[in-house]
Amino acid sequence: MCGIQLLVRQSACAADASTEKRWADLTLANSRRGPDAHNELTITLRFFTLRIGAHVLHLRGAHPQPQPLVSAQTGDILCWNGEVFSGLPVGNSNDGLMLFHELQRVKKLHPKDFILRVFSRIEGPYAFVYVDRESETVWFARDVLGRRSLLIKRQQGLWLASVTQAGEAWAEVAAQRIFQLDLAAAPQADEVGELPLLLVEHEWRYADSAGESPLVLPFGRVTDTHGAGTSSPGAPSAGLPELDAAWLPFVDGLQAALSAALLQRTDSVPHHGASGTPRIGILFSGGIDCITLAALLAQQLPVSEPIELFNVAFENPRQLKHAATTLSQPKYNVPDRKTGIQGWIELRRLYPDREWRFVEVDVPYAQVLMHREHIRGLLCPADTVMDMSIGMAIWFASRGIGRIKHDAQNGEGAEYTGQARVLILGMGADEQLGGYSRHRVAWDRRHQWADLGAEIRLDVERISCRNLGRDDRMVSDHAREARYPFLAAEVVAFLANVPLNRKMDMRYPRGIGEKILLRLLAQRIGLVNACMLPKRAIQFGARTAKMETSQSKGQDTL
C-alpha cells in the first residue's frame, strides 16, 4: 500500500508559496499511510511539469519497494497503491514491481491500450497513477469497487492524492473508469484550467454491453429473481430454516468463496517483529459479518498465529447523562462491547488453541475532541454528520490502542497497541445480502421480490461510489491496510448469481431474514449465538452518534 500524490501544471506557471505549502501538507498527510519508504520526482512533458510523490507501506515481497517505480528503458513511471490478488502471477514477490514489468511487456505489443488490457484482468483493491513518457499521457484510476482512495482537484493545475485535508475542492475519483490525461493533445495556454477537458474516460461495463472494450466487469448484474420451492417460514417466531439439500449448495458456495478471498488477502502478508507477532487483525463488533470472517480466518492461519480483535466503544456524554437519570452502567458498556465479548467467548470455545487478542479500544470524550479536526480532514471530501460518526469509529478502532482482555469476568486488562498491519473489515455484506433496514422496507411495501431485488441491485451497483474511499483513509492513517473479503470479485460474482430468497428472506423476523445465507453459514460453523444477532450500525453500536445533541441528522453537513 502507499500514499500517492501528483501535480500537473503548466511549466510556464511557476509554483508559488501556496502551491508549495499545499504540496508539503499533502506529503505530510500521505506519509502516514506509507512510513517505510518515500520518494518524489519532477519531470517535464511538453510544456507541463509533473511532480510525483509516493509513500510505501511494506506488505508484499521480502523488502520494502520504494516508489515511484521508474523504467530504465522507457522512463515510464508507476505509483501503485493496491494489491494484486489474482490475474497476474506474483507469488512472494512485490506485486507493484511485477505489475510494472507486465505493463512494460504488454506496452510493446499494444502501445495504445496496454493499460486497459492489463487492468482488465487484475483483481484486487487499487489506485494507481501511470505516466507514459512516449505518448505523453497520464493514466489513473481506482478499482471497479472503489476499495482504495484517490482524490482529484482541478485548481491551479490538476492534483491527485490518496488523502488530503478539509476545506478544499477535492472529489473522489470515480471508480468503474480508467482515466487518460492526454498531454500531447493539449494546446499551450496560460491557464491550466483546460486540463480537465483533456480527460478521456474508459468505462467498465457488464459483459453483455461491453462490445469490443477490454474493460469487462469481473461480475455480472445482481439477479432479481427468486428461486422456486421455498416455503413460507410460518410463524413469526420461527428460527433459521433447516440446512437441507436446497440450501446446501449456496452455503457451500459462500463458504468456499469467502475462504478463498481470506486466503488471498492474508497468505502473503509478511511477518513484522518477533515470532508470534500478529499479522492480521479484525475490526470486531461481534456481529454476524465480522465474526463469520474471524471464524473462517481461524481455519486459514497457522494455529500459532494470534488474531487481534479490535472492539471500539466511546464515552458518549449525552447517552451517559440520560443513563445517570435511569440506571448506573459503565461508560464503555455499549452495545458493540457486549456483543463483542459474547463473540470473543464463542470464538474461544470453537477454536480454543488459537490466541484471540480481544482489544478493548475505549475512547474518552476528551480524545474525541482532540482528534476530531484531524479525522474531519481525512473524511474530505465526505462531510456529513454520519460520515463523522462512522469515520471516527473506524479511525479509533483501527488505531488499535486499548487494553487486552484476558477473562470475560475480569475488569481492565493490560495496556496494548495493535501490531497487525492488515485489518479485515466486513463491508459489502449488507449491500449484497439485504442487511439494511431499507431492504426490509422495500419488501414490506408490497411483499414483492421484484421490489426487494431492485433495491439490492441499486445498492450493489453503487458500492463503488459510496464510502469505501472514506474507510480506506481512516484505516490507512495508522499505516495499516483495510481488506474486504465480502468485496472480493469472486465473492461478488458468486452472490450476484444467487437467487434473492437464498440470500435474504424478509418473511422471517428481524435478526433472521436479513443475510439469511450468511447466518446459515455461521450456524454451520458453530456460531450459534452470533447467527441470530440483528444488524446494528457501527455509529450506534459503538455510540459515536449524537454525542452532544439528539437533534442532528445523519445527512446534515458538518
Side-chain angles (χ1 to χ4, degrees):
M1 187 195 79
C2 81
I4 296 172
Q5 52 190 107
L6 168 73
L7 169 60
V8 182
R9 60 180 179 82
Q10 294 274 357
S11 299
C13 301
D16 57 15
S18 65
T19 301
E20 291 298 324
K21 172 67 164 54
R22 188 173 293 114
W23 182 265
D25 289 343
L26 286 180
T27 300
L28 180 61
N30 283 276
S31 67
R32 294 172 63 93
R33 299 171 60 94
D36 296 331
H38 164 64
N39 197 8
E40 67 176 66
L41 52 87
T42 302
I43 65 169
T44 300
L45 293 180
R46 299 184 72 223
F47 34 81
F48 295 97
T49 297
L50 282 67
R51 191 171 181 180
I52 310 163
H55 312 260
V56 175
L57 178 69
H58 173 222
L59 289 174
R60 300 291 283 271
H63 306 287
Q65 173 63 56
Q67 293 193 40
L69 298 168
V70 182
S71 169
Q73 288 75 38
T74 65
D76 287 4
I77 300 166
L78 174 66
C79 290
W80 171 248
N81 171 26
E83 304 291 339
V84 177
F85 291 134
S86 64
L88 179 69
V90 173
N92 293 322
S93 303
N94 179 271
D95 62 328
L97 191 58
M98 298 296 288
L99 174 63
F100 193 39
H101 293 332
E102 180 66 3
L103 287 165
Q104 295 289 288
R105 184 189 71 81
V106 177
K107 181 184 177 183
K108 294 176 181 177
L109 304 172
H110 306 281
K112 293 188 179 299
D113 64 351
F114 68 101
I115 291 284
L116 308 183
R117 289 175 179 270
V118 172
F119 280 94
S120 69
R121 53 187 169 88
I122 295 298
E123 155 53 8
Y126 62 75
F128 76 89
V129 172
Y130 188 97
V131 180
D132 184 344
R133 297 290 292 268
E134 182 180 2
S135 67
E136 299 178 318
T137 300
V138 180
W139 299 82
F140 60 93
R142 300 163 68 201
D143 70 83
V144 295
L145 290 168
R147 292 165 288 186
R148 289 289 174 266
S149 172
L150 189 62
L151 308 176
I152 186 170
K153 183 177 71 166
R154 303 175 179 99
Q155 188 179 55
Q156 295 180 307
L158 185 140
W159 299 74
L160 295 172
S162 298
V163 63
T164 179
Q165 53 199 346
E168 295 193 341
W170 292 86
E172 299 269 9
V173 169
Q176 297 201 351
R177 290 165 177 77
I178 293 180
F179 292 89
Q180 181 181 4
L181 178 62
D182 187 0
L183 298 178
Q188 187 166 6
D190 294 332
E191 299 296 330
V192 293
E194 295 181 41
L195 280 172
L197 303 179
L198 305 173
L199 283 177
V200 178
E201 298 183 18
H202 303 273
E203 188 174 358
W204 291 82
R205 297 182 184 276
Y206 289 108
D208 58 8
S209 60
E212 297 183 1
S213 171
L215 296 183
V216 178
L217 288 167
F219 42 82
R221 290 184 175 87
V222 176
T223 180
D224 54 5
T225 62
H226 66 284
T230 55
S231 58
S232 172
S237 61
L240 285 167
E242 181 184 351
L243 185 54
D244 57 18
W247 279 104
L248 201 56
F250 302 108
V251 175
D252 285 344
L254 180 58
Q255 182 168 356
L258 282 176
S259 296
L262 279 164
L263 183 63
Q264 287 178 330
R265 281 152 181 75
T266 58
D267 190 48
S268 62
V269 177
H271 291 271
H272 292 88
S275 175
T277 300
R279 294 184 304 142
I280 312 297
I282 301 175
L283 297 198
F284 190 76
S285 66
I288 185 68
D289 309 338
C290 62
I291 197 171
T292 303
L293 293 175
L296 293 175
L297 181 62
Q299 299 173 12
Q300 302 276 359
L301 295 185
V303 72
S304 58
E305 282 197 33
I307 297 175
E308 294 177 323
L309 306 174
F310 297 106
N311 180 272
V312 67
F314 286 76
E315 177 188 11
N316 185 312
R318 189 185 67 84
Q319 292 274 357
L320 291 173
K321 181 179 179 181
H322 173 72
T325 65
T326 54
L327 55 95
S328 175
Q329 65 172 3
K331 67 174 71 172
Y332 300 117
N333 193 29
V334 303
D336 277 4
R337 177 59 48 80
K338 296 174 185 176
T339 55
I341 291 174
Q342 291 168 7
W344 171 59
I345 293 171
E346 198 160 20
L347 288 170
R348 293 173 74 192
R349 174 183 59 80
L350 285 174
Y351 306 98
D353 296 330
R354 171 82 58 185
E355 182 185 355
W356 297 97
R357 297 188 182 178
F358 187 84
V359 184
E360 296 181 315
V361 180
D362 295 338
V363 184
Y365 184 60
Q367 284 208 20
V368 170
L369 299 177
M370 182 187 306
H371 295 287
R372 186 153 56 186
E373 284 307 306
H374 175 70
I375 294 170
R376 184 176 180 180
L378 296 172
L379 290 174
C380 177
D383 193 32
T384 68
V385 170
M386 184 180 295
D387 286 317
M388 176 60 82
S389 296
I390 297 173
M392 185 181 298
I394 295 173
W395 189 85
F396 277 102
S398 56
R399 186 175 69 157
I401 297 177
R403 294 182 177 274
I404 192 164
K405 195 170 187 66
H406 296 289
D407 189 280
Q409 306 304 321
N410 292 339
E412 291 187 344
E415 292 183 358
Y416 184 84
T417 299
Q419 300 169 67
R421 283 190 161 196
V422 167
L423 298 181
I424 301 297
L425 281 72
M427 280 69 168
D430 289 318
E431 290 85 350
Q432 299 179 84
L433 292 163
Y436 290 124
S437 59
R438 60 177 173 270
H439 299 143
R440 185 167 286 278
V441 169
W443 169 262
D444 288 344
R445 285 195 206 105
R446 298 189 303 159
H447 289 206
Q448 294 292 316
W449 290 104
D451 295 346
L452 179 57
E455 193 71 29
I456 294 295
R457 176 178 283 190
L458 178 63
D459 263 351
V460 172
E461 290 184 347
R462 66 184 181 185
I463 281 177
S464 64
C465 60
R466 292 190 69 207
N467 305 315
L468 294 174
R470 175 201 67 194
D471 299 343
D472 173 66
R473 294 190 292 277
M474 296 299 114
V475 174
S476 60
D477 193 52
H478 306 295
R480 306 186 201 273
E481 183 172 281
R483 298 187 178 176
Y484 311 100
F486 284 106
L487 292 174
E490 296 86 350
V491 175
V492 177
F494 168 76
L495 288 174
N497 288 317
V498 174
L500 282 173
N501 60 329
R502 297 300 183 187
K503 293 184 287 193
M504 65 210 76
D505 193 336
M506 302 309 179
R507 298 173 298 178
Y508 285 86
R510 184 172 181 266
I512 299 177
E514 307 90 356
K515 300 188 278 193
I516 195 169
L517 178 59
L518 184 61
R519 296 180 188 280
L520 285 169
L521 172 56
Q523 184 186 60
R524 183 168 74 169
I525 292 172
L527 300 168
V528 294
N529 295 321
C531 72
M532 304 291 281
L533 288 175
K535 157 77 177 176
R536 184 170 53 235
I538 188 173
Q539 65 268 34
F540 300 115
R543 293 275 168 83
T544 57
K546 303 180 185 296
M547 283 193 165
E548 292 91 3
T549 173
S550 62
Q551 302 304 311
S552 59
K553 304 298 182 184
Q555 298 307 316
D556 291 348
T557 301
L558 290 172

